[in-house]
Every structure is written in structure tokens, then in C-alpha cells.
Amino acid sequence: MSLKTGDKISLNIHDLAFGGEGVGRIEDFVVFVPFVINWRDSGAEITEVKKNFARAKLLRVVTRSPERVTPECRYFGACGGCQYQHIDYAAQIAL
């Protein structure tokens, strides 16, 4: 599959990388998406394509995880200081 910037995709997140980005795959190509939770479908838009991976931004949550919560900080997602505020605290500990 040939991905390009601006492509809209749907993928399952199967893991979290260091720093809180979700890891999904389109065929065998890795796509990193911030602010997602494991094993849930996500709609995303490709923002960067490299030789071995791509990055995307979350557009919508297709299947909402029961561990997803509303972040308490109004700057969540903008300042870069917290990667897991959208995940219930007990689930954060398990991760």
C-alpha cells in the first residue's frame, strides 16, 4: 500500500509506543497515532510518511474504549506535557 500525506485511514491500534502514540498497521506498514487507546478502531489522517512508518492525527474514535476518559487539563494535546490523560488512571498503571 502506498500512503501519502492527507490520506484518511481506519485502523486498529494494537500497541502503545513510548511517548503514548498508538501503533497500528496498514498491511505491514506501521502507523503511529497519538491520543488513542489499544485495540480500538480509529479514523485518522496521515500527516507524515517516512520509509518505514507513517504518522497520523486522530480524526475520530470509531469504537470508544471503556478506559477512555475526558482529560482534566484544558491544554491536553496542545502542550505536549501529558500523553495519557485520555486514559483512565487504573488503565494507565496497567500500561
Side-chain angles (χ1 to χ4, degrees), residues 3 7-11 18 23 25 28 30-31 34 47 55 61 63 68-69 72-73 93:
L3 291 176
D7 284 351
K8 294 187 175 43
I9 59 171
S10 179
L11 73 161
F18 180 78
V23 180
R25 291 184 185 274
D28 286 332
V30 174
V31 180
T47 59
R55 294 192 188 281
V61 176
T63 305
R68 181 176 284 279
V69 297
E72 291 185 29
C73 178
I93 298 299

Side-chain angles (χ1 to χ4, degrees), residues 44-92:
E45 181 179 335
I46 300 296
T47 59
E48 178 181 18
V49 179
K50 299 287 188 180
K51 181 179 177 181
N52 296 317
F53 69 92
R55 294 192 188 281
K57 67 179 178 181
L58 181 64
L59 295 177
R60 69 187 185 291
V61 176
V62 177
T63 305
R64 186 176 177 91
S65 169
E67 290 89 20
R68 181 176 284 279
V69 297
T70 301
E72 291 185 29
C73 178
R74 67 181 175 160
Y75 300 109
F76 175 73
C79 80
C82 303
Q83 290 82 21
Y84 301 109
Q85 276 194 24
H86 65 293
I87 304 172
D88 175 74
Y89 184 69
Q92 289 180 36

